[in-house]
Amino acid sequence: MKVIIIGGGIIGLASAYYLQQAGYSVTVTDRSDMSQGCSYGNAGYICPSHFVPLATPGIVRQGLKWMLNASSPFYIQPSLNRDLVNWGLKFMKSATRQHVERSAAPLRDIALLSKQLYESWTSVPGLDFAYAPVGMMELFQTEQNAHHAHETVKDAAALGIEARVLSRGELSQMEPGMKLDALGAVFFPGDSQINPNLLMRSLQTYLEKQGVQFIHHQEVTGFAATGNRITGVRTATATLEADHVVLAAGVWSAALAREIGLSIPMVGGRGYSVTFENTPFKVHHSIILSEARVAISPLDGHKIRFGGTMEITPLHTPPRMRRVQGIFDSVKRYFPDFDMAVPPADQVWYGYRPCSADGLPYIGNLTRYPNMTIATGHSMLGISLGAATGKLVAELVAGRPTSMDLQPFHPERFKR
């Protein structure tokens, strides 16, 4: 049985991994060379701690305030684009306390499943991604966020996720040798850190050796269908026949879904990251700077990555380096001795995260075309949820019971 996967990011490759294991003939096609997308430039967190969706109460109000600051963590470029307006209206409607409460358990379940699967990958010969169960710390500087930290610990405990609040002194003990300006932190010992670049290169090499075919620089333009079945994937040069199609093309998935009459409310949330090698600035844990929405990632023991911002903007907008400067300024506010300069623009990574209208991924088979599986919209959790999504996709393709309830992630949920 031939399966074509559209998209060579972590969702596509993890799907290929489990489908190949199940005996399918798998082809992965991508519009690029599969070396620069969001699966590469992200923070590399495997984070069951992230059980709160992007659409939360207050995020819209805070976002409007941040829009006045060119170096802020969040920005929406004003536009009358119909897709953006549609997404924005649905996002605002989803940003409720009730939605957060409904989403917590599904996000926990898929994250814990993914962590378990990544741990199993560490014993697969040929797969190397520097898996490190170091835990994550979310630093806070304000009394308001200190109160929020205690509430987060209570919410985590209700979900069975270990978390505790660290005092300023405890925080300093866990990051010795670093001068810190923070009241404390929430510590999630169950989170892990990987090197996403290493994971993606290693996984692609492994899959090629297992017989998975890769087609680079081939943009999908549409689909061939007969009745209620997709029979092929159209590119500029050919039609690739398929028994089943997996649409995992990240932010480009929405446009492709429209080709078969499916509306997936989704926009690209641009983020930036910078990676340094062999620097004096070192941390021992994955770190999030809460007020600044900045991520700090220790990679392989000798690299450090800074990342952040959520910029809703057209896909071909030139990068805004003031946002990268904002990331570095934020790091210095928490780490006063930090003195690294923003590198030239050609050394800064940026990419577009596929952000759904409610902060939950789209995972499921279509009603009209049961032999098409959608797997996209993971926002900032693509790597974290990647392994689990791949396994779920393989189960959906095979028509087997899935490892968890996928109703909260159904790709047609906004039609209901």
Side-chain angles (χ1 to χ4, degrees):
M1 188 172 176
K2 297 179 181 179
V3 179
I4 292 180
I5 299 172
I6 306 169
I10 182 57
I11 306 302
L13 296 193
S15 299
Y17 176 87
Y18 287 106
L19 285 165
Q20 189 278 328
Q21 277 195 338
Y24 292 93
S25 172
V26 181
T27 298
V28 179
T29 182
D30 196 278
R31 67 203 313 274
S32 71
D33 64 357
M34 306 186 196
S35 67
Q36 293 294 324
C38 282
S39 297
Y40 287 84
N42 65 86
Y45 295 160
I46 310 301
C47 46
S49 63
H50 284 42
F51 53 82
V52 177
L54 184 61
T56 58
I59 187 65
V60 176
R61 183 173 63 253
Q62 181 64 65
L64 291 173
K65 293 178 182 178
W66 274 335
M67 282 179 67
L68 302 176
N69 181 354
S71 59
S72 69
F74 183 74
Y75 174 74
I76 298 179
Q77 182 171 321
S79 171
L80 294 178
N81 177 278
R82 185 175 63 180
D83 292 335
L84 176 60
V85 172
N86 177 50
W87 176 88
L89 292 173
K90 288 180 169 59
F91 184 86
M92 288 188 287
K93 186 177 180 180
S94 298
T96 65
R97 182 64 191 173
Q98 293 78 8
H99 172 65
V100 170
E101 291 173 354
R102 288 195 304 268
S103 302
L107 285 174
R108 172 204 61 190
D109 292 346
I110 191 172
L112 290 175
L113 173 62
S114 207
K115 180 188 173 186
Q116 174 189 349
L117 295 171
Y118 276 122
E119 288 173 346
S120 72
W121 286 11
T122 61
S123 61
V124 177
L127 282 186
D128 180 17
F129 47 100
Y131 185 85
V134 295
M136 176 182 290
M137 297 194 296
E138 295 186 4
L139 278 59
F140 54 83
Q141 291 184 318
T142 65
E143 290 294 342
Q144 179 182 356
N145 273 8
H147 173 74
H148 180 68
H150 287 278
E151 293 300 313
T152 298
V153 169
K154 291 179 183 177
D155 292 341
L159 291 166
I161 295 174
E162 185 180 358
R164 64 180 185 271
V165 176
L166 304 177
S167 67
R168 187 195 299 265
E170 291 172 321
L171 179 56
S172 297
Q173 289 176 0
M174 294 186 69
E175 289 294 342
M178 300 292 293
K179 184 178 179 181
L180 275 164
D181 184 5
L183 296 180
V186 181
F187 179 52
F188 296 94
D191 284 12
S192 299
Q193 177 74 57
I194 67 165
N195 183 327
N197 303 63
L198 184 59
L199 169 67
M200 294 300 293
R201 291 193 298 267
S202 175
L203 190 52
Q204 186 167 338
T205 299
Y206 175 86
L207 291 172
E208 287 175 336
K209 291 180 178 178
Q210 299 302 312
V212 173
Q213 291 187 309
F214 287 87
I215 303 175
H216 301 90
H217 300 292
Q218 194 73 272
E219 184 172 1
V220 173
T221 58
F223 303 93
T226 300
N228 67 342
R229 294 190 64 79
I230 301 293
T231 58
V233 172
R234 293 197 180 103
T235 71
T237 59
T239 296
L240 308 175
E241 294 183 357
D243 297 302
H244 202 106
V245 174
V246 177
L247 179 53
V251 71
W252 289 274
S253 300
L256 286 172
R258 280 197 295 271
E259 297 293 323
I260 51 172
L262 174 66
S263 175
I264 302 179
M266 191 162 64
V267 295
R270 184 161 66 180
Y272 300 82
S273 72
V274 177
T275 306
F276 293 96
E277 193 164 356
N278 298 320
T279 72
F281 185 91
K282 296 185 183 300
V283 295
H284 299 86
H285 305 83
S286 307
I287 290 177
I288 290 178
L289 311 180
S290 296
E291 291 84 2
R293 309 292 177 96
V294 166
I296 302 176
S297 305
L299 306 178
D300 299 354
H302 65 280
K303 295 179 183 177
I304 192 84
R305 175 171 289 177
F306 308 105
T309 81
M310 176 63 75
E311 190 178 27
I312 309 300
T313 185
L315 298 182
H316 300 294
T317 303
R320 294 179 170 92
M321 291 300 291
R322 287 187 66 180
R323 299 208 168 274
V324 183
Q325 183 64 58
I327 293 173
F328 278 60
D329 292 344
S330 295
V331 174
K332 189 168 182 62
R333 286 201 301 273
Y334 291 78
F335 295 88
D337 292 338
F338 176 78
D339 61 356
M340 299 168 70
V342 175
D346 62 357
Q347 296 178 31
V348 174
W349 176 91
Y350 65 93
Y352 293 86
R353 314 168 184 106
C355 298
S356 70
D358 59 3
L360 300 179
Y362 297 113
I363 308 172
N365 291 342
L366 299 186
T367 302
R368 182 179 178 186
Y369 298 109
N371 69 324
M372 172 171 275
T373 303
I374 306 294
T376 187
H378 292 70
S379 300
M380 294 174 285
L381 298 176
I383 283 287
S384 183
L385 307 184
T389 302
K391 182 175 179 60
L392 292 165
V393 164
E395 291 168 346
L396 287 165
V397 172
R400 301 198 307 269
T402 52
S403 297
M404 62 172 289
D405 180 15
L406 291 181
Q407 280 303 310
F409 305 145
H410 200 286
E412 297 167 328
R413 60 184 179 268
F414 284 101
K415 292 173 57 179
R416 298 170 180 175

